[in-house]
Amino acid sequence: MGVHQSRRRQCASKIALTDKRIERVNERRESIIKVEAKKISKKKIVLDLMWRDDGATQAELETATGWQRHTLRGYIAGTLRKQLGAVGYAIECERGRDDVPTRYFIAKVTRGMAAEGGAT
């Protein structure tokens, strides 16, 4: 009774430790995934789209953020323009006509542009 039961208990305790370790690893993975998901903000989405060579259309920005048109324009004109202006960048806007959509770009501010009040 003594030898066989002690081996069974040892095996059972090793299995329990392994299960606990697996649970801890899975919990860590889940927490890392949640943290990485939180790092992608709407500001980052907007900036990434606007940094592209062809910029971003208003429709693309609306779809990516889920914001309404007036919210997006307000964010770009107010908050984002001030933040980028502080680090030497400006938001340029190509107004669309007829079927051509409005496009937004990010551009480096040169001294001539800064003296004129920046790009709009």
Side-chain angles (χ1 to χ4, degrees):
M1 175 171 124
V3 175
H4 293 292
Q5 286 183 347
S6 65
R7 284 187 182 168
R8 287 182 189 164
R9 286 182 187 162
Q10 286 176 351
C11 290
S13 66
K14 286 181 182 179
I15 291 171
L17 285 174
T18 304
D19 290 342
K20 287 180 183 177
R21 287 182 185 146
I22 290 171
E23 286 177 25
R24 275 190 253 139
V25 168
N26 288 337
E27 288 173 4
R28 287 183 190 150
R29 283 184 187 155
E30 289 174 8
S31 66
I32 289 171
I33 290 170
K34 287 179 184 175
V35 169
E36 288 176 358
K38 289 180 184 177
K39 288 182 182 178
I40 300 174
S41 65
K42 289 187 180 183
K43 176 181 177 181
K44 180 168 175 31
I45 292 169
V46 169
L47 289 174
D48 286 346
L49 289 172
M50 290 173 64
W51 272 112
R52 297 183 306 184
D53 290 337
D54 61 340
T57 65
Q58 188 155 354
E60 290 172 335
L61 294 169
E62 289 172 18
T63 303
T65 59
W67 289 341
Q68 294 181 1
R69 182 167 291 183
H70 64 277
T71 305
L72 180 64
R73 283 195 314 256
Y75 178 72
I76 290 171
T79 308
L80 200 56
R81 194 170 298 238
K82 289 176 187 175
Q83 290 175 352
L84 290 176
V87 293
Y89 289 94
I91 297 174
E92 293 183 359
C93 176
E94 268 184 21
R95 304 270 182 223
R97 292 190 181 137
D98 300 326
D99 292 337
V100 179
T102 301
R103 289 195 160 288
Y104 293 96
F105 303 89
I106 297 177
K108 181 78 173 157
V109 175
T110 60
R111 291 181 185 229
M113 289 173 67
E116 297 170 8
T120 55

